[in-house]
Amino acid sequence: MAKYFYILFIAVLFASCSPYQKALKSEEVKFKYEVAEQMYNKGKYEKAIRLFEQIQSSYRGKPQAEKLFYMFAMSYYKTKQYYLAGYEMEKFSSQYPRSEKSEEAAFLGAKSFYYLSPVYSLDQADTYKAIDKLQNFINEYPNSQYMGEANLVMKELREKLEKKAYEIAKQYNTIMDYKAAIKSLDNFIIDFPGTKYKEDALYYKYDSSYHLAINSVQARMEERLQQAKSNYAALMKFNSETKYKKDADEKLARIETELKNFSK
């Protein structure tokens, strides 16, 4: 047991005397920088961050500042602290536009906001921000080596917004607010003309117009039945073999039956 405590004591003593611990307590800025760089190179980014935070103000305007602020920003990125990474990367790219790391920093800064983008069902403020940041990068570096990845990330973000818009529009159908559903689905189709959800949107627009017509007062029913019939035609024009065909045809039969009552 005594041997165990002796080994533990030596380990604690060794740790307390490590260069990192000394650097944290030291007043020597140069020593802190050297240890911070060592920590960074070893992939110990959390430790590097603590030291960089202590000395960053002392190096502003100095020759070493460019390297320090790049490592500082990258340490945040490597530890997935994306708000701070985005801020520090943008600041680095702005302050050192001629740096060989400027393009990389601009891209990683924009990409940091991509990582902050939440699942589609949540508020998409950070998604819009990520798209703006990536578009700024694409505009500034049109021949960038990161262009392929930037476009892929941008596509993913836009698809997330597309799914969010579709689910919101569809939700009106789910809660049986059919007037709002028709309007929202119309707007969705206009806003996303090439959407992969177009068939679904056309169906739910038709379904909403059907229910609105069937449940209308007599004075509005014929007009709304005709509109529902038109929406059926739009769905069939888009895809005559739609997965919704059986249900759509059954509703059309009811529409035709109701319309015959108005022709008598």
Side-chain angles (χ1 to χ4, degrees), residues 93-152:
S93 184
S94 175
Q95 290 179 344
Y96 302 99
R98 296 182 180 179
S99 170
E100 63 177 15
K101 300 291 188 180
S102 181
E103 180 182 323
E104 178 192 19
F107 174 66
L108 293 181
K111 193 176 179 183
S112 294
F113 289 96
Y114 156 76
Y115 285 120
L116 292 169
S117 172
V119 296
Y120 80 90
S121 58
L122 300 178
D123 180 79
Q124 294 299 302
D126 282 327
T127 302
Y128 283 108
K129 186 181 292 184
I131 288 174
D132 286 342
K133 300 292 184 183
L134 283 161
Q135 190 61 59
N136 289 339
F137 171 79
I138 289 169
N139 293 342
E140 189 171 352
Y141 298 94
N143 300 312
S144 172
Q145 61 178 311
Y146 303 106
M147 188 57 65
E149 186 176 356
N151 285 325
L152 285 175

Side-chain angles (χ1 to χ4, degrees), residues 162 166 170 173 185-186 188-190 192-208 231-248:
E162 180 182 316
Y166 167 69
K170 180 186 172 185
N173 175 274
L185 289 161
D186 253 339
F188 172 77
I189 293 167
I190 291 169
F192 301 93
T195 178
K196 63 182 179 181
Y197 302 109
K198 188 168 185 178
E199 181 179 333
D200 304 280
L202 287 170
Y203 167 73
Y204 284 108
K205 180 184 173 184
Y206 166 57
D207 180 73
S208 296
N231 290 337
Y232 170 86
L235 174 62
M236 292 301 122
K237 182 178 179 181
F238 180 77
N239 182 6
S240 60
E241 298 301 322
T242 175
K243 60 187 176 183
Y244 300 110
K245 185 169 175 53
K246 184 175 183 294
D247 180 73

Side-chain angles (χ1 to χ4, degrees), residues 9 11 18 37 42 86 88 91 121 179 195 220 237 253 262:
F9 172 76
S18 69
E37 185 176 6
K42 290 179 180 179
E88 291 297 337
K91 187 168 73 171
S121 58
K179 286 183 180 179
T195 178
R220 299 295 305 277
K237 182 178 179 181
F262 287 96

